Amino acid sequence: MNRKTINLALQGGGAHGAFTWGVITALLSSDRVSIRGITGTSAGAMNAAVLASGYMAGGEAGAIERLEAFWRDVSDAARYSPFQRTLLDRAFGNWSLDASPTYLAYDLASRFISPAFSNPLDINPLRPIVEAYVDFEAIGRCEDICVFVAATNVWTGKARIFGAGELTVDAILASACVPELFSPVFIDGVPYWDGGFMGNPPLYPLFYNTDVPDTVIVQINPIERRRTPVTAREIVNRVNEITFNSSLLKELRAVRFVTRLIEDGKLDRDEYMRVRMHRIASDELLPLSASSKLNGEWAFLRHLHGIGERAATLWLDAHYDDIGERDTIDLGSEIA
């Protein structure tokens, strides 16, 4: 079967990034697509960097193997996390941490205690894991896959994109720096927070730095919910979803605008690339609460991985023929 080339845009979402791990596993295991560029934020940035490192060490099989080992170590580190499900939640198969006493205490304390006081040594358990699984020098040499990682400049409020030559462990941790959990990550004297505030994920690095028209968004945070939030926690969760999708919707609106100009003959096709947008998502993620993004149990991560594998396989079966031909996202209704 003819392999088609795609770019990937990977959203952040804590432990829900294991869904993206499953998507990547399915795509790399398939003989139908190859990946040219990847842009990622937070957990998406980690998936992207680990994928590229594994690819440089052992091709697609090496990337699959390294991603599984990475997520296994993330889960092992989470065993010592104070955020654990209650026995009742375990008994009923509820992945949420909403009833966890330590999570509730943290949720309350984070409103008046900053990480500078709650975590004065600025310990990030992900640092040694990222250092162990990401070969930044190898990513810099990689010619087959381009990696771009987004973080938010605390001073300017603008997105900072780190390309292959700029990627470091600090850049990855900056992309995943949740302000309520960690102090800003300083790079060249500038503080950075989670990239999701200004790009979750950013799309433009793929348009400017690759010649691949087809970009697949791996979406963790739902854009739409057909239920009005009622409880305080539901309201906060929905506000976060809207906030972390706003930059993506703005970029999709820009994509739609440029596409219409190209199709109307107002822009030269030789100078402007007609991009095609696609998305892999799953309704199985909708019932999961925001607190479950801090649940690092291996059973939960494998559950998410399975959802991601199924979603990617179904997408490939339904839309392989569309790659290189047409959008599979209706941008008009998406941004209306």
Side-chain angles (χ1 to χ4, degrees):
M1 180 176 289
N2 178 41
R3 282 201 174 207
K4 296 186 177 183
T5 305
I6 60 173
N7 289 327
L8 292 180
L10 310 181
Q11 280 200 326
H16 291 190
F19 168 82
T20 303
W21 163 37
V23 169
I24 292 170
T25 299
L27 295 178
L28 293 179
S29 299
S30 167
D31 61 356
R32 292 182 279 185
V33 296
S34 59
I35 299 168
R36 177 68 181 98
I38 311 174
T39 179
T41 297
S42 193
M46 295 183 187
N47 276 318
V50 175
L51 186 165
S53 294
Y55 179 86
M56 285 296 287
E60 292 168 337
I64 293 171
E65 180 180 345
R66 186 167 297 201
L67 276 165
E68 178 165 3
F70 168 80
W71 281 100
R72 169 69 81 171
D73 272 13
V74 168
S75 178
D76 287 344
R79 287 187 297 177
Y80 305 102
S81 168
F83 307 136
Q84 302 292 336
R85 286 189 296 163
T86 66
L87 292 177
L88 193 61
D89 284 330
R90 293 175 187 269
F92 284 94
N94 180 10
W95 299 111
S96 171
L97 298 177
D98 287 350
S100 166
T102 51
Y103 176 78
L104 292 172
Y106 148 76
D107 191 38
L108 177 63
S110 65
R111 287 160 169 73
F112 56 88
I113 299 178
S114 76
F117 292 94
S118 61
N119 185 11
L121 298 180
D122 199 21
I123 297 173
N124 190 328
L126 290 173
R127 179 178 288 275
I129 301 175
V130 172
E131 289 174 336
Y133 286 98
V134 180
D135 185 339
F136 294 100
E137 183 179 344
I139 293 176
R141 299 194 313 269
C142 186
E143 297 181 354
D144 294 336
I145 301 176
C146 305
V147 177
F148 306 96
V149 167
T152 300
N153 185 317
V154 177
W155 289 343
T156 66
K158 298 178 181 179
R160 164 75 187 276
I161 306 300
F162 296 90
E166 305 168 301
L167 283 178
T168 62
V169 64
D170 282 337
I172 300 296
L173 295 180
S175 182
C177 181
V178 179
E180 294 84 5
L181 282 176
F182 304 108
S183 296
V185 176
F186 281 80
I187 300 175
D188 297 329
V190 178
Y192 291 94
W193 277 337
D194 194 305
F197 292 113
M198 297 307 297
N200 194 23
L203 302 178
Y204 64 89
L206 301 173
F207 305 153
Y208 294 158
N209 296 283
T210 77
D211 58 359
V212 176
D214 291 84
T215 293
V216 181
I217 301 169
V218 181
Q219 188 143 7
I220 292 175
N221 304 288
I223 290 177
E224 290 191 12
R225 283 189 185 271
R226 295 299 178 178
R227 180 177 178 275
T228 303
V230 176
T231 68
R233 188 171 300 281
E234 288 174 344
I235 292 170
V236 171
N237 290 348
R238 187 58 185 147
V239 167
N240 287 336
E241 288 173 349
I242 292 171
T243 300
F244 278 89
N245 278 319
S246 62
S247 58
L248 174 61
L249 288 174
K250 288 178 181 178
E251 285 203 81
L252 290 178
R253 185 173 287 107
V255 169
R256 173 62 174 159
F257 177 69
V258 173
T259 297
R260 290 182 63 182
L261 292 178
I262 293 174
E263 291 176 345
D264 292 343
K266 296 177 180 178
L267 289 178
D268 189 342
R269 290 178 179 267
D270 292 333
E271 294 186 24
Y272 293 89
M273 181 171 64
R274 165 59 165 98
V275 300
R276 292 177 285 270
M277 300 304 303
H278 313 275
R279 173 168 52 214
I280 297 176
S282 175
D283 288 344
E284 292 186 69
L285 297 179
L286 291 176
L288 298 175
S289 70
S291 67
S292 66
K293 293 179 179 181
L294 293 175
N295 184 350
E297 296 174 56
W298 183 240
F300 181 48
L301 300 183
R302 289 297 305 179
H303 171 66
L304 292 167
H305 177 272
I307 295 173
E309 274 196 304
R310 290 192 297 274
T313 300
L314 288 171
W315 182 84
L316 278 173
D317 291 342
H319 296 298
Y320 170 78
D321 290 337
D322 295 320
I323 301 173
E325 300 294 331
R326 60 188 65 87
D327 297 285
T328 56
I329 297 177
D330 183 352
L331 293 180
S333 62
E334 194 79 13
I335 64 177

